[in-house]
Amino acid sequence: MKKQDWAALAAVAALYAALHFAGFGCPIKAVTGVSCAGCGMTRAWLAALSGDLSAAFAYHPLFWVVPLAALVFLFRRRLPRRLFTALLWAAALAFVAVYAVRLADPRDPVVVFAPEEGLLYRILRLLPFRK
């Protein structure tokens, strides 16, 4: 694995940790007011690491995909290109499907659709063209 691969993984982890400790959580949700497709992933991993797999699946049913995706990313040059592409598409489709189901369920306690709470909505309300 190349140095820039490790650097990319470290940069993503550092950015996520900085946002988490700054109290932002998900930057997409903070800006738009809408949860992202990965919403609940951190809570799922915290639950899984505590041994509560039931809670982990409730927070995000695809939490277990993350280490597999990291392995695929790290060893992508050793995988046949078609397999890598198929795995990438399968993961993307799984996340979109889970996200759509969770977003459509108003009782879902993790995924939120509240654009009026997002930073973008609040900024747009301040603009003069608003009646």
Side-chain angles (χ1 to χ4, degrees):
M1 190 165 80
K2 294 182 178 182
K3 286 183 181 180
Q4 61 256 40
D5 293 341
W6 285 109
L9 287 175
V12 168
L15 175 63
Y16 188 81
L19 290 170
H20 177 72
F21 289 116
F24 267 98
C26 178
I28 294 171
K29 184 177 175 185
V31 171
T32 66
V34 180
S35 299
C36 70
C39 192
M41 193 65 74
T42 301
R43 290 171 281 181
W45 272 102
L46 290 173
L49 293 172
S50 298
D52 190 351
L53 293 180
S54 176
F57 277 101
Y59 283 125
H60 201 296
L62 297 177
F63 76 95
W64 55 273
V65 172
V66 174
L68 297 178
L71 287 173
V72 167
F73 175 76
L74 293 174
F75 295 105
R76 70 187 179 281
R77 288 185 179 84
R78 294 183 182 182
L79 296 173
R81 186 173 177 102
R82 286 185 138 187
L83 176 60
F84 176 75
T85 302
L87 291 171
L88 186 65
W89 275 105
L93 289 173
F95 268 87
V96 168
V98 167
Y99 182 59
V101 168
R102 296 178 84 192
L103 199 56
D105 182 2
R107 297 167 298 153
D108 190 302
V110 178
V111 176
V112 175
F113 184 81
E116 65 281 354
E117 294 178 13
L119 181 62
L120 184 61
Y121 179 83
R122 292 177 185 172
I123 290 171
L124 289 175
R125 287 195 55 201
L126 298 174
L127 294 177
F129 63 82
R130 181 156 162 42
K131 293 180 182 180

